[in-house]
Amino acid sequence: MEKEDLPLFAEWANKPEVWGEYNPLLQMSRTEAEKMFESPHEAKAFIVERKDGTKIGFITHFCVLHPAGRQLEIGYSLVPSERGKGCGTEATKLMVDYLFLSKDTMRIQAQTDPRNVASQRILEKVGFKKEGTLRKSFFMRGEWRDAYVYSILREEWKEPKILTKTA
Ligand SMILES: CC(C)(COP(=O)(O)OP(=O)(O)OC[C@H]1O[C@@H](n2cnc3c(N)ncnc32)[C@H](O)[C@@H]1OP(=O)(O)O)[C@@H](O)C(=O)NCCC(=O)NCCS
């Protein structure tokens, strides 16, 4: 994500339909988006683009727990009109390749609402394994919801699926 993407990112982040049914609602000002963009300790966001350059969503990674634990978590959202075309799966494969190639991390994790079948299918197709349920772990639309935790370990990833070690 480049600085010029911040207005679009902030616009998406304030639209409930971009987060979908299974994410907490969020308000993010341009200033907050800029802070996230500039701080290496906050989430790092990538814009998901079609090959023709159309921007269709975002995928993020961020550190969980203490940075020394080197656990990374990812999250993603696409605009509604671009869902169901395989882009979420491809973006997640790219992100997993990128993180294992560029960061000295042993595991990448993701959390998802138990009802979010599309997200769980992405994670399974990319090689994540379901680890368990965090009970009542996030507050969403007026109630506490469980979250499934998925992860992929470096040894399960083995080698890049889309990126290469030399490119
Ligand atoms: C989750 C999300 C990123 C999926 O991206 P996508 O590009 O639509 O997913 P893909 O097209 O790569 O499809 C992945 C799999 O999910 C399935 N799927 C897609 N939409 C689905 C739906 N609404 N219900 C059930 N399965 C669905 C696809 O069939 C595919 O599985 P298959 O290969 O076995 O057929 C997208 O739906 C989204 O942005 N949702 C709102 C935000 C969100 O929930 N983010 C995840 C938070 S954990």
Side-chain angles (χ1 to χ4, degrees):
M1 187 169 75
E2 302 294 344
K3 206 160 189 175
E4 58 262 31
D5 296 317
L6 289 175
L8 178 63
F9 181 71
E11 185 189 319
W12 282 339
N14 288 301
K15 281 189 176 164
E17 62 268 30
V18 175
W19 292 110
E21 296 167 70
Y22 309 117
N23 272 307
L25 298 173
L26 190 81
Q27 288 81 46
M28 182 184 277
S29 66
R30 285 270 291 281
T31 309
E32 285 164 334
E34 275 165 25
K35 186 170 159 251
M36 188 194 84
F37 180 76
E38 279 158 11
S39 167
H41 304 298
E42 307 268 338
K44 179 99 181 152
F46 288 67
I47 296 288
V48 179
E49 286 185 2
R50 285 205 314 249
K51 286 205 168 70
D52 67 6
T54 311
K55 296 170 198 249
I56 62 169
F58 57 89
I59 180 162
T60 62
H61 68 78
F62 48 97
C63 228
V64 265
L65 307 177
H66 193 277
R70 290 187 182 149
Q71 298 187 41
L72 295 175
E73 182 161 326
I74 61 168
Y76 35 74
S77 281
L78 301 180
V79 296
S81 60
E82 299 294 336
R83 294 178 193 160
K85 301 176 183 176
C87 299
T89 304
E90 193 174 345
T92 305
K93 277 186 189 158
L94 278 165
M95 180 58 98
V96 168
D97 279 358
Y98 164 72
L99 291 175
F100 278 136
L101 285 170
S102 65
K103 315 272 179 210
D104 186 13
T105 190
M106 270 307 288
R107 53 176 274 138
I108 299 168
Q109 78 173 39
Q111 296 188 39
T112 176
D113 187 294
R115 298 165 299 173
N116 196 344
V117 180
S119 184
Q120 288 164 53
R121 277 298 295 144
I122 286 181
L123 295 168
E124 285 157 7
K125 288 195 326 171
V126 178
F128 284 69
K129 290 191 169 54
K130 189 170 144 193
E131 291 186 330
T133 306
L134 293 178
R135 297 179 301 156
K136 307 285 183 201
S137 99
F138 62 104
F139 190 73
M140 189 182 109
R141 322 274 165 116
E143 59 180 10
W144 284 96
R145 304 282 322 166
D146 293 348
Y148 285 166
V149 180
Y150 282 76
S151 71
I152 181 168
L153 303 180
R154 181 175 286 279
E155 67 236 38
E156 293 163 344
W157 167 75
K158 294 189 182 83
E159 58 183 25
K161 306 297 179 293
I162 298 180
L163 296 179
T164 64
K165 288 184 179 172
T166 52

